[in-house]
Amino acid sequence: MDPLLAAAVLFGSFAVLLVLGVPISVGIIVSAFATSLLMLPWSGTTFVIGQQMNMGVESFSLLAVPLFILAGNIMNNGGIAQRLVDLALVVAGRVPGSLAHTNVLANMLFGSLSGSAVASAAAIGGTLHERQRKAGYDPAFSTSVNIASASVGLLIPPTTAAIVYSTVAGGVSVAALFVAGYVPGILMGVVVMAIAFVIARRRGYRSTDHFGLGQALRTFLRAIPSLLLVIVVVGGIIAGIFTATEGAAVAVVYCLVLSMIYRSLDSAALRQIVTRTVSSTGVVMLLIAASSAMAWVMAYSGIPAALTQALISITDNTVVILALMVLILLVVGTFLDITPAILIFTPIFLPIATELGMDPVHFGMVLILAMCIGTMTPPVGSVLFVGTGVAGVTIEQVVPRLVPYFIGLFALLLVITYVPVLSLGLPGMMGLLG
């Protein structure tokens, strides 16, 4: 079958279904099924699509996804967020616009533990919103800071985004992806803080909190058990003590023990946490199964190879091709959440990236960062909706305030794309690159 015709049917039907409001996973399955019918008989299509969906979730490494989701939900309800906010406030308390910087630092800390941008936006935004309002902060400004920094946790490990990408990309080292996310994630937080600092200075937002040495030390000591989670989980994975899946199980046990010590988790809350985890896991796994079927249809029809040849035929300039890929990913991120975007577009763009000599770990960082930006953009930005909902402001009020952050993060995305050492330096030094 002509790959262009297959691509037109596949993505055209998928786009129509999205516009009609069909759930993403259902739209993926229907469009993959319809395209497969153009190449195979009905019996072959039903067998292959079902087989590929089953194979898509039949992976031991994917067990880490529900476990990390469970760990993040426990942290979100276990009193850990408040301790991390207090620590961030100690660090940023003397800087103009201190509560904005506290928001960014707390999102970096909590996001690195929970691995969820939505959980960070809800937990940190909910904790700081009233305090920022009483300090005289414009709600739209404080909400924009929260939204722009909430997705940092998708880069700083441990993160389910890296695990999903590793699975789709053919077993790229999870340890290498985890370590590679540190520099881009920290730079993302720094960019948001720099922009917030400039805006805070212009608006006259002063530092609001000053801590004595004793209080700062007590705050740090209270946060140490939470911070140790990253060292235990990520350190154990990097050192080869346990796999990513085993590390996720360790994270769940650690969070449960910590919440019991804090006495912030009862049986009723635990039931709600498990219910939310099961619901979230079902959504993610259905997306993975559906996207596996779509990936098979794309490979069978030759769409990735045809797209690679099409881009290379336009220009053989690596800089231009990478720029085109980045722009496409940014557009895609405005319509798709990070998990389906990784599942659908990794099989398309990873062959192009490797053809250009790009390391799969480096491409993973570019892809995840592009999708991080997508989580805060309308019309389907999950973090945008959660952040505005927590703060009680409208999307129309917040989006104009997000423009400086969009510009700054787009510039960072280009830097990460064209400077591989920022992603590959740490894993290379640790011998994690193949």
Side-chain angles (χ1 to χ4, degrees), residues 350-375:
L350 183 57
I352 300 174
T354 53
E355 181 80 15
L356 298 173
M358 196 175 192
D359 190 282
V361 173
H362 178 205
F363 175 74
M365 293 302 102
V366 173
L367 174 61
I368 294 173
L369 178 55
M371 295 304 106
C372 286
I373 298 174
T375 63

Side-chain angles (χ1 to χ4, degrees), residues 10 19 46 132 172 239-240 332 340 349 426:
L10 183 66
V19 172
T46 54
Q132 290 171 323
V172 176
V332 166
F349 288 125
L426 281 180

Side-chain angles (χ1 to χ4, degrees), residues 399-418:
V399 168
R401 308 297 174 85
L402 283 171
V403 171
Y405 301 101
F406 291 150
I407 296 172
L409 293 176
F410 175 67
L412 174 64
L413 177 59
L414 292 178
V415 172
I416 296 298
T417 301
Y418 293 117

Side-chain angles (χ1 to χ4, degrees), residues 164-165 168-170 329 341-351 363 367:
V164 172
Y165 171 77
V168 182
L329 290 174
I342 290 174
L343 292 167
I344 294 171
F345 287 93
T346 297
I348 295 176
F349 288 125
L350 183 57
F363 175 74
L367 174 61

Side-chain angles (χ1 to χ4, degrees), residues 67-98:
L67 291 172
F68 274 126
I69 292 174
L70 177 57
N73 285 334
I74 293 171
M75 282 186 285
N76 203 19
N77 291 268
I80 296 175
Q82 184 60 57
R83 287 169 169 77
L84 296 178
V85 168
D86 292 342
L87 177 61
L89 200 55
V90 169
V91 176
R94 297 181 179 274
V95 182
S98 59

